[in-house]
Amino acid sequence: MPPKITKTREVYLSLKKIAMSLNPNDPLPGTIRHFAQKYSVNHKTVEAAVARLKRNGFITAQPRLGLRVSPFRPSADEDAPSLLYVYGGWRDPDGAHKIMADAAGLVAERAGIRMHHVKASRFESMLPMAAEGSIPCAIISYFSPYPGLDVVLEKFSALGVRICTIDEQRRGFDAVVLDNRRIGRQLGRLLFTPASHRRVLLCQRYLFAQPEYERDEGLREVMMEMKVPHSRVVWFSHYNHRDAPTLREALARLFNGGVVVDAVFMQTAWGVEQLREACGDAGVPVPFVVAVDTEETLKRTGISGVAVSVKEMGVRAAEMVLDRLRNPSAKPRIVSLEGRIYMP
């Protein structure tokens, strides 16, 4: 269903039209009680509309002076509909979310739509705008794991907001995801083709049920095709070492226990520094490391892997969610993006 146009929104748009027809500092032709009677609504509805007009800089409201047009009134397009970008925001050292949001913002700007972005922990501040119809569409990025993103999706969807997700797929919604099985195959060739990689450590991250674990399937396919013996592979998950408070300590225990590896796969580059520190703690050489991440992050950490374009993810997500506004009854679409091999 289309975004709801509430009574508050109707009063807001009507009062804004009046404010735009007057000069700065001119009084509005009526009080809150007058407008409540004129529009046949509760006075609290008018108060909510007036509060939003004040926040957006269209009017002022002072004791004894009443409602007046703001001396710094913005142009009418300041109240254009907005595309909202919501992200987890736990870790973003290389600005991946900013790159995605900026890329999506350019697409929205060409369509005459403004851009807002907010951390998932603060999403409730945007719900009133969504309820009024000011936010008809949103992008929810699962690129950084965050347990509350599904709640965000449910809340905005219930208000009729059109949504496209990034990095994870949710039933009934458009999504931009990575071709993780193909990426897993690319990683497998990086890890097992060199004969010098006599033993490979595969680090799994079971924090959440994320589609990135399709990469494991791609890895296994390559291992079976290359007839990689089980003795050449060590599977590791920090989840199985919960008595070790950090990844660094868990890996150090593994190496101190006699496990020797020549190459390591990590789901993302987040734990690379802890891996290097663990090698130092155990007195073993730092192995060849591969991960899946943005090219900026792979460059910063100095490792190889599969680079993914977060800019393209932002562009495609914005295009899809704006197309959803134009075609609300179309079936949900899934766009799958590939990565490319990166070597420093």
Side-chain angles (χ1 to χ4, degrees):
M1 63 178 184
K4 299 175 182 177
I5 302 298
T6 63
K7 285 290 185 182
T8 301
R9 178 69 174 169
E10 290 179 1
V11 174
Y12 169 83
L13 292 173
S14 180
L15 293 180
K16 192 189 85 165
K17 184 176 180 180
I18 294 173
M20 295 303 298
S21 69
L22 301 172
N23 294 318
N25 295 313
D26 281 354
L28 266 65
T31 62
I32 288 178
R33 177 178 295 181
H34 165 81
F35 290 123
Q37 294 175 348
K38 177 180 179 179
Y39 299 119
S40 300
V41 296
N42 188 288
H43 73 279
K44 290 185 177 180
T45 300
V46 180
E47 288 176 350
V50 166
R52 179 153 179 74
L53 286 164
K54 288 171 61 180
R55 288 197 303 270
N56 288 353
F58 287 100
I59 67 171
T60 62
Q62 300 179 23
R64 295 188 296 276
L65 294 178
L67 305 176
R68 290 180 174 269
V69 179
S70 171
F72 306 105
R73 179 189 63 196
S75 60
D77 61 3
E78 288 295 315
D79 193 49
S82 298
L83 167 62
L84 180 64
Y85 178 88
V86 185
Y87 61 103
W90 274 0
R91 294 180 296 270
D92 192 24
D94 297 291
H97 285 300
K98 185 178 186 305
I99 294 171
M100 277 190 272
D102 288 348
L106 291 175
V107 175
E109 183 180 346
R110 290 196 293 269
I113 294 179
R114 291 193 300 164
M115 185 77 181
H116 286 292
H117 50 87
V118 65
K119 289 185 178 180
S121 58
R122 301 174 184 170
F123 80 94
E124 291 183 343
S125 64
M126 293 295 178
L127 288 177
M129 293 177 63
E132 295 169 357
S134 298
I135 298 178
C137 52
I139 296 171
I140 298 181
S141 175
Y142 288 79
F143 195 74
S144 295
Y146 189 83
L149 285 171
D150 282 344
V151 174
V152 177
L153 184 145
E154 292 171 5
K155 293 286 189 180
F156 282 104
S157 178
L159 295 172
V161 177
R162 307 298 179 186
I163 295 172
C164 179
T165 62
I166 286 180
D167 204 40
E168 291 197 19
Q169 180 183 348
R170 292 295 182 267
R171 184 183 296 274
F173 295 94
D174 297 317
V176 177
V177 298
L178 299 174
D179 188 345
N180 285 295
R181 185 187 294 263
R182 182 181 177 86
I183 288 173
R185 293 184 61 84
Q186 291 174 302
L187 292 165
R189 289 190 287 270
L190 278 174
L191 290 165
F192 296 110
T193 299
S196 58
H197 296 169
R198 292 164 296 180
R199 205 170 191 196
V200 177
L201 177 66
L202 303 177
C203 294
Q204 297 172 300
R205 185 182 64 177
Y206 285 113
L207 290 177
F208 309 100
Q210 298 177 345
E212 67 185 17
Y213 298 115
E214 293 177 5
R215 295 172 196 168
D216 289 351
E217 296 180 17
L219 276 167
R220 287 187 173 91
E221 288 175 1
V222 171
M223 291 166 60
M224 293 182 65
E225 292 168 6
M226 298 181 65
K227 295 181 171 56
V228 175
H230 290 291
S231 59
R232 194 180 172 192
V233 182
V234 178
W235 294 91
F236 169 85
S237 172
H238 188 201
Y239 179 82
N240 296 324
H241 297 265
R242 283 171 287 183
D243 57 328
T246 66
L247 176 63
R248 172 181 177 177
E249 291 184 34
L251 288 169
R253 290 183 187 182
L254 186 72
F255 299 144
N256 282 324
V259 174
V260 179
V261 297
D262 304 293
V264 176
F265 161 60
M266 310 194 80
Q267 290 286 353
T268 70
W270 169 76
V272 170
E273 289 306 316
Q274 292 197 61
L275 169 66
R276 288 171 173 157
E277 291 167 349
C279 290
D281 296 340
V284 299
V286 177
F288 174 76
V289 184
V290 300
V292 182
D293 223 305
T294 66
E295 184 170 331
E296 292 78 11
T297 300
L298 295 177
K299 285 180 178 179
R300 178 178 59 82
T301 53
I303 64 173
S304 301
V306 177
V308 295
S309 173
V310 292
K311 180 178 180 180
E312 184 179 3
M313 295 174 83
V315 168
R316 298 298 290 274
E319 290 174 345
M320 289 176 71
V321 78
L322 294 178
D323 188 58
R324 174 61 54 186
L325 287 178
R326 294 186 286 267
N327 303 285
S329 61
K331 291 183 179 180
R333 293 184 300 154
I334 309 298
V335 171
S336 184
L337 303 180
E338 299 179 2
R340 66 177 188 83
I341 299 294
Y342 171 80
M343 304 286 287

